[in-house]
Amino acid sequence: MDDTSSQWALYGAGFRGDFLSLLRAQGMSPMPALNADGADGALQHTESTTVLALRYKDGALIAGDRRAVAGSAIMYDRADKVLEIDERSVMAISGSPAAAYEMARVLEYSFRYYKRSQLQEMSLEGKLRALSQLIKENLGMALQGIGGVLPIFAAYDNLAGETRLYFYDALGAQFEMTDFAAAGSGSVWIRGALYYENRWRQRIADLDRRAAIQLTQRMLQAAAHFDSATGGGTPTVKCLTEDGVETLSEETLTAIGGSDV
Amino acid sequence: MYDEPRRWIQALENRVQYVEKRLRSGSPVVGLPYNNGALLFTMRPRGQQKVYEVYDRLAMGALGHPADVERLRMIAVNLAHVEGFARSADDVTLQRLLHFTIAPQIKQAFDEIYRSPFIAKCLMAELAPKAEQTQFFTVNFDGNFSSHDRFGAAAGTQDAEETALHAMESRLSESPGLEESLRCAVYAWGASFDAAFNEADDDRIEERPPPSDDAVGAALAKAAERLLPEAAVLDHTLSGKAKYRKLTKEELRVVEEAAEKLRPKENGQDR
């Protein structure tokens, strides 16, 4: 009997492309919950952030600052909070990095495994459900105040031929945003600005790529101005269109800039 | 009934004959390099797929019973993803997958005469991270596997595989573009398909000349009646982690052209 069952699990006809059940069948746990009973929130964790996403003329821009803090201490200024999950989806993370990075990794593997095993791409609905499920499974960590993750998820909808933006609450409910989404400690400072921009100046949906990149950078600068947990090096900005995901280079970002023109 | 060694051996020999007979008419899969990576080419029946993405840098093509091919494919895909998730994508290599899991499982299924063997042969390709040298492994139905420099082939018979390898070795230039590689793949496929049907006696295989262009053309024309071309590349110029890409209909047009050129002239002397 020894390891026949785990070997048999590799045939995997029954997984229907579900990467999590495949892992469990191998005796592996994708996101093991940490035991933090009695932590009392005394544990200092790195979280605060600003991430935002907006839908412009040709697609979506997803951006994030680079700072990671623990309390008032700056721990790291090169953190990457905007993660490419597959050719059609990008996740920007706010909250506990440990849980968020693991979540991104699980998602990436789930989508790719589904596509390769089922010989078709996972539907957008399916992808949203998968993320929702992970956030829900992480609830224990979130309630203990050490592992909450509030992501923004941007995906290209193959059927509708356009990009879509979603943000999630701590329980895994997803909300679709038509124009922009922002999350993290710095987002409170810029949501009003984004609203004003979109409502009274120029609709974000009508912006061209250059103007959208500029607005994104300006917003991150505004957030950094008010929120000590936002900042760090040149922000990460990814562009999601019909053609896939493009990471904007530092040169492009510097050239377009966020400061006054 | 199989408790005596000689009966067990006899049973295995029957099994070899049975599987070989089932595989003989299968459509070969050939693998060859091109300047951006590796190309896998085959001809597939309508409604079936024969070339698959396994992992970021791994692909496979197979012939045999579709259900067995599927079992093999799932072992490879599952294993690669579990391993890549637990460790890293760099730890997922064909060498590890084949040595430690795929080959032993195929062998076990083959040896246990009360279980059904894999009626399948497959060609696996791995895009090397740095060197241009792509690796091809041919995995046999008894769990044996072998690797060749630059080229790879899986076909219904040993002779058909060697014919394909020989055709590619003698025809492909040092650093071919995609189109050149694809033309060469078509030729090698045709030669291999021809060889599988017109096998020489075992003792004469060594001295058998490669098939003539007309024979290759005839095999391709015959195949075109019921089979469609299928090809995929592992292309290291692709931007994401996944380097696998299926060739489009437009790119596959070369296949028809190449087959058309080789079609034997209608002069009444053809078979």
Side-chain angles (χ1 to χ4, degrees):
Chain A
M1 262 310 284
D2 50 279
D3 57 353
T4 359
S5 55
S6 79
Q7 281 193 0
W8 187 249
L10 280 174
Y11 288 119
F15 296 132
R16 300 187 309 278
D18 183 2
F19 184 64
L20 293 182
S21 0
L22 171 66
L23 281 186
R24 291 189 188 112
Q26 299 291 307
M28 291 163 70
S29 168
M31 294 185 58
L34 301 177
N35 184 1
D37 289 346
D40 276 346
L43 180 65
Q44 291 210 327
H45 46 281
T46 54
E47 62 175 19
S48 315
T49 250
T50 304
V51 287
L52 76 144
L54 46 86
R55 289 174 68 205
Y56 70 108
K57 211 165 63 184
D58 324 312
L61 283 181
I62 305 93
D65 74 304
R66 305 291 294 273
R67 178 161 293 173
V69 297
S72 60
I74 296 169
M75 302 303 288
Y76 191 44
D77 261 348
R78 308 290 299 167
D80 216 342
K81 304 168 186 176
V82 182
L83 309 167
E84 180 178 342
I85 305 295
D86 66 6
E87 296 76 22
R88 300 253 170 230
S89 50
V90 176
M91 185 164 96
I93 55 174
S94 73
S96 156
Y101 284 127
E102 197 61 7
M103 233 176 237
R105 206 167 136 71
V106 171
L107 275 192
E108 184 188 329
Y109 268 84
S110 299
F111 296 175
R112 286 188 205 282
Y113 176 70
Y114 182 93
K115 186 176 158 201
R116 287 171 184 150
S117 64
Q118 307 299 295
L119 303 172
Q120 65 179 51
E121 201 170 325
M122 193 188 282
S123 69
L124 177 56
E125 287 274 313
K127 290 178 179 178
L128 293 171
R129 284 284 316 145
L131 176 52
S132 188
Q133 200 66 37
L134 287 180
I135 295 177
K136 211 177 289 173
E137 280 178 22
N138 193 46
L139 181 62
M141 301 269 284
L143 285 178
Q144 292 174 66
I146 55 161
V149 179
L150 298 172
I152 298 174
F153 188 73
Y156 187 82
D157 184 344
N158 289 330
L159 292 176
E162 58 181 2
T163 50
R164 295 185 184 281
L165 299 182
Y166 302 86
F167 79 85
Y168 284 79
D169 73 4
L171 290 170
Q174 104 234 349
F175 304 93
E176 180 169 3
M177 301 301 287
T178 47
D179 304 305
F180 61 86
S185 58
S187 66
V188 289
W189 304 104
I190 58 170
R191 279 173 57 199
L194 279 166
Y195 178 83
Y196 178 86
E197 191 77 22
N198 190 41
R199 181 80 173 81
W200 309 110
R201 288 192 40 166
Q202 192 183 8
R203 281 186 55 206
I204 292 174
D206 296 335
L207 294 181
D208 63 17
R209 180 179 142 109
R210 193 186 161 82
I213 294 172
Q214 191 175 54
L215 177 63
T216 308
Q217 292 198 80
R218 284 181 174 175
M219 285 302 139
L220 284 173
Q221 281 184 6
H225 185 79
F226 289 104
D227 178 28
S228 63
T230 296
T234 315
T236 318
V237 184
K238 290 194 199 282
C239 179
L240 172 68
T241 61
E242 194 182 356
D243 304 326
V245 180
E246 179 199 353
T247 304
L248 301 182
S249 67
E250 246 180 271
E251 292 78 57
T252 312
L253 293 174
T254 321
I256 296 177
S259 49
D260 296 333
V261 189
Chain B
M1 178 179 169
Y2 295 115
D3 45 4
E4 284 176 59
R6 78 184 161 82
R7 287 189 189 273
W8 185 71
I9 290 165
Q10 184 62 49
L12 286 189
E13 272 165 10
N14 290 344
R15 196 166 248 237
V16 170
Q17 274 179 18
Y18 166 71
V19 179
E20 277 181 345
K21 196 174 148 201
R22 297 281 304 266
L23 286 174
R24 174 167 292 234
S25 59
S27 160
V29 186
V30 293
L32 55 176
Y34 79 109
N35 51 17
N36 280 348
L39 167 73
L40 286 178
F41 174 80
T42 187
M43 300 284 283
R44 64 177 173 90
R46 268 166 227 282
Q48 268 186 36
Q49 189 176 335
K50 280 169 61 74
V51 176
Y52 303 98
E53 177 179 23
V54 172
Y55 194 64
D56 295 356
R57 296 171 161 275
L58 304 183
M60 68 177 268
L63 66 152
H65 194 291
D68 287 332
V69 170
E70 185 61 17
R71 274 205 295 164
L72 270 181
R73 183 178 84 83
M74 285 315 295
I75 293 176
V77 169
N78 288 354
L79 190 65
H81 285 79
V82 168
E83 195 61 30
F85 181 79
R87 295 198 172 84
S88 94
D90 297 337
D91 294 296
V92 182
T93 60
L94 266 190
Q95 186 263 120
R96 291 189 64 214
L97 297 193
L98 284 172
H99 272 94
F100 305 128
T101 309
I102 299 176
Q105 291 214 24
I106 299 179
K107 166 104 169 49
Q108 196 181 2
F110 180 76
D111 282 351
E112 286 177 9
I113 39 187
Y114 290 110
R115 265 173 79 189
S116 73
F118 285 87
I119 304 176
K121 262 185 170 183
C122 69
L123 176 66
M124 306 195 77
E126 175 173 54
L127 192 64
K130 282 196 182 116
E132 281 71 37
Q133 192 69 279
T134 304
Q135 277 207 298
F136 292 103
F137 283 89
T138 305
V139 189
N140 210 344
F141 59 83
D142 60 0
N144 209 340
F145 60 91
S146 57
S147 149
H148 300 270
D149 281 348
R150 266 193 112 199
F151 304 102
T157 64
Q158 180 77 26
D159 186 28
E161 274 170 20
E162 270 158 28
T163 307
L165 290 172
H166 177 77
M168 291 186 284
E169 272 156 18
S170 57
R171 295 176 78 92
L172 198 67
S173 69
E174 202 49 49
S175 106
L178 179 58
E179 208 179 299
E180 189 198 330
S181 279
L182 199 48
R183 282 178 200 281
C184 177
V186 174
Y187 189 91
W189 188 93
S192 180
F193 201 52
D194 175 73
F197 282 103
N198 305 309
E199 194 169 14
D201 299 335
D202 282 349
D203 51 344
R204 289 200 295 115
I205 283 181
E206 291 299 314
E207 41 198 91
R208 198 170 105 114
S212 67
D213 284 4
D214 271 3
V216 173
L220 285 168
K222 190 177 144 204
E225 288 165 15
R226 59 180 189 92
L227 300 174
L228 298 169
E230 182 182 8
V233 289
L234 289 168
D235 177 350
H236 56 67
T237 63
L238 291 183
S239 65
K241 289 177 195 163
K243 303 298 183 190
Y244 175 92
R245 178 174 75 83
K246 273 185 143 183
L247 294 195
T248 60
K249 266 196 179 134
E250 284 69 43
E251 287 171 304
L252 285 174
R253 214 154 272 160
V254 179
V255 176
E256 280 160 47
E257 280 172 38
E260 194 53 45
K261 246 186 218 164
L262 288 163
R263 189 183 282 271
K265 302 288 170 291
E266 301 282 347
N267 56 8
Q269 291 179 347
D270 293 321
R271 282 180 291 167

